[in-house]
Amino acid sequence: MEICLQHTLRSLRQKKNITQETLAQHLGITSQSVGKWERGEGYPDITLLPAIAAYFDVTIDDLLDVGTARKEEKFKAYQAEVHRYAHDGLVEEIIGVWERAYHEFPNDCRIMNNLMRSIHARGIYPTPDADAERIYSLGEKILENSTDQKIRDSAIYTLCWVHSSRREKEEALKYAEMGGSLLTTREDLRSDVLEGEEGIKACQEYLMELLRTAGWTAIEMITKDGVTTEETVAAYQLGIDLFKLLHPDGCLIGHAWSIAMAYSGIASAYAKVQDAEKTLEALEQCVAWSIRDTEYMSNGEPIRYCTPLVNRLFFDPRSGEKNYTGNTCDCFLEHFSWVCFDFLREDARFLALQNRMREYAEEANRNN
């Protein structure tokens, strides 16, 4: 366990507004000894620790910053436990882990953020009352106490999304206004500042995020009232095309799930107007990309993106979180049960595609 006396001692001394000499005189030692402690070049004799702690009115654990070290160890243990559940999409188990962590460390903004995100990950639309109230409480506590911009951004995003899902427009807009502009994003500024390999990687990360955001913004349009079938298909197709811009060789590692989702949306749009041929064509693509993503995810090891636009980046299948059990084929196999596809229930192509998806579906195979 790491002991961080040097930083704690300097901080306590400065808060008390005393010099190294004053502390040294109180302890009956030389000021050079205090200077060495604060530079991390040594530690006080163990017999001096009670006197130092008493002088600053803290515990010995606080003086040695052992409490922080223990907390970090526990936080990492909670993260490891969540990671085991995340791969299998066990959202309720993940929530349970962060609930225990929050009970133990109720003022840790990282834990609050993970808890509100995991509650949000239930994916129920609109967000139920109890979940919404919990998210609102956690989010406001984060914004009141956290100075970490990434944690604040995450809280703002979740608060805005949940209020929007519940048609609480004014509240949603309040949080939307807290977001930064495209000119002041962390990714944009980093890509401007960094040079060499770091700069190339930062540009690639920003480019990937821009295209992903553009695609999902187009898809967001379909949730609005009055959008036609043609506009819905165009929005999904734009998302697909933007991802393919990043991967001209067709090796869309890490984006196959999103493409499968887009084709499922296109199939649903055509199904609602009962265009059987276009519905089936889109479902064929959904199945193909679901299988491809399932194969990517089964690899288990980080894979480097191979095309020039993003060849400094890696896709790590171990880092993903999901709110469904089984693999990607399980996720989209569920879509075949949607009411909009009822007019195809007896169609041979539809049944063949459903069976093809079932062949690769982890949970479906486990249940057979």
Side-chain angles (χ1 to χ4, degrees), residues 97-163:
V97 173
W98 290 124
E99 288 284 13
R100 285 191 280 112
Y102 181 58
H103 180 76
E104 185 172 2
F105 302 110
N107 296 312
D108 190 307
C109 290
R110 297 170 303 172
I111 290 172
M112 285 186 268
N113 183 50
N114 281 307
L115 177 54
M116 70 183 294
R117 286 178 61 222
S118 64
I119 294 171
H120 181 219
R122 282 185 168 128
I124 305 171
Y125 187 93
T127 306
D129 291 348
D131 285 356
E133 290 305 318
R134 192 78 193 287
I135 288 170
Y136 297 161
S137 174
L138 290 166
E140 283 300 322
K141 192 173 179 182
I142 288 171
L143 295 180
E144 183 178 336
N145 294 287
S146 179
T147 58
D148 186 306
Q149 194 58 50
K150 288 185 178 180
I151 292 176
R152 291 178 62 85
D153 287 349
S154 178
I156 288 167
Y157 171 84
T158 305
L159 287 166
C160 181
W161 198 98
V162 171
H163 278 295

Side-chain angles (χ1 to χ4, degrees), residues 26-170:
H26 176 77
L27 297 172
I29 59 174
T30 65
S31 59
Q32 288 84 353
S33 294
V34 176
K36 286 183 178 180
W37 301 341
E38 292 190 2
R39 291 194 299 273
E41 296 173 359
Y43 296 101
D45 187 280
I46 193 169
T47 60
L48 287 175
L49 294 178
I52 299 171
Y55 183 72
F56 291 113
D57 193 26
V58 297
T59 67
I60 293 177
D61 274 2
D62 288 337
L63 176 65
L64 299 178
D65 209 14
V66 171
T68 300
R70 285 176 179 158
K71 182 178 177 180
E72 288 305 304
E73 285 185 358
K74 289 299 296 285
F75 181 72
K76 289 177 181 177
Y78 283 125
Q79 284 183 311
E81 188 176 356
V82 163
H83 184 72
R84 292 196 296 271
Y85 292 131
H87 178 72
D88 295 322
L90 301 175
V91 176
E92 296 305 319
E93 285 79 358
I94 292 171
I95 293 172
V97 173
W98 290 124
E99 288 284 13
R100 285 191 280 112
Y102 181 58
H103 180 76
E104 185 172 2
F105 302 110
N107 296 312
D108 190 307
C109 290
R110 297 170 303 172
I111 290 172
M112 285 186 268
N113 183 50
N114 281 307
L115 177 54
M116 70 183 294
R117 286 178 61 222
S118 64
I119 294 171
H120 181 219
R122 282 185 168 128
I124 305 171
Y125 187 93
T127 306
D129 291 348
D131 285 356
E133 290 305 318
R134 192 78 193 287
I135 288 170
Y136 297 161
S137 174
L138 290 166
E140 283 300 322
K141 192 173 179 182
I142 288 171
L143 295 180
E144 183 178 336
N145 294 287
S146 179
T147 58
D148 186 306
Q149 194 58 50
K150 288 185 178 180
I151 292 176
R152 291 178 62 85
D153 287 349
S154 178
I156 288 167
Y157 171 84
T158 305
L159 287 166
C160 181
W161 198 98
V162 171
H163 278 295
S164 179
S165 81
R166 293 167 58 82
R167 304 294 184 183
E168 297 163 352
K169 182 179 177 181
E170 293 304 317

Side-chain angles (χ1 to χ4, degrees), residues 10 44 99 232 303 363:
R10 184 184 301 114
E99 288 284 13
T232 298
I303 309 169
E363 287 297 308

Side-chain angles (χ1 to χ4, degrees), residues 157-297:
Y157 171 84
T158 305
L159 287 166
C160 181
W161 198 98
V162 171
H163 278 295
S164 179
S165 81
R166 293 167 58 82
R167 304 294 184 183
E168 297 163 352
K169 182 179 177 181
E170 293 304 317
E171 287 298 312
L173 284 174
K174 180 183 82 170
Y175 293 109
E177 291 297 330
M178 293 183 187
S181 72
L182 283 174
L183 296 177
T184 58
T185 63
R186 187 181 303 106
E187 292 79 9
D188 183 25
L189 296 175
R190 281 173 54 82
S191 68
D192 286 340
V193 172
L194 295 174
E195 299 291 342
E197 279 297 311
E198 281 188 317
I200 295 170
K201 183 179 178 183
C203 287
Q204 291 188 356
E205 289 172 341
Y206 188 37
L207 179 62
M208 185 176 285
E209 186 63 21
L210 279 174
L211 292 180
R212 186 196 69 83
T213 300
W216 283 103
T217 300
I219 291 170
E220 178 65 22
M221 183 180 70
I222 71 170
T223 67
K224 313 304 180 185
D225 294 334
V227 177
T228 65
T229 299
E230 182 181 23
E231 290 167 336
T232 298
V233 171
Y236 280 121
Q237 189 61 54
L238 177 60
I240 294 168
D241 292 343
L242 287 172
F243 283 124
K244 288 184 176 180
L245 280 176
L246 285 171
H247 307 277
D249 59 0
C251 185
L252 281 93
I253 303 167
H255 297 121
W257 188 95
S258 299
I259 294 175
M261 186 282 304
Y263 277 118
S264 175
I266 291 173
S268 175
Y270 283 131
K272 287 174 182 175
V273 294
Q274 299 204 347
D275 187 325
E277 182 59 31
K278 290 184 177 178
T279 299
L280 291 166
E281 288 175 357
L283 284 175
E284 286 171 352
Q285 290 293 326
C286 175
V287 170
W289 285 101
S290 295
I291 293 171
R292 185 176 294 190
D293 191 64
T294 294
E295 291 171 342
Y296 286 149
M297 296 301 290

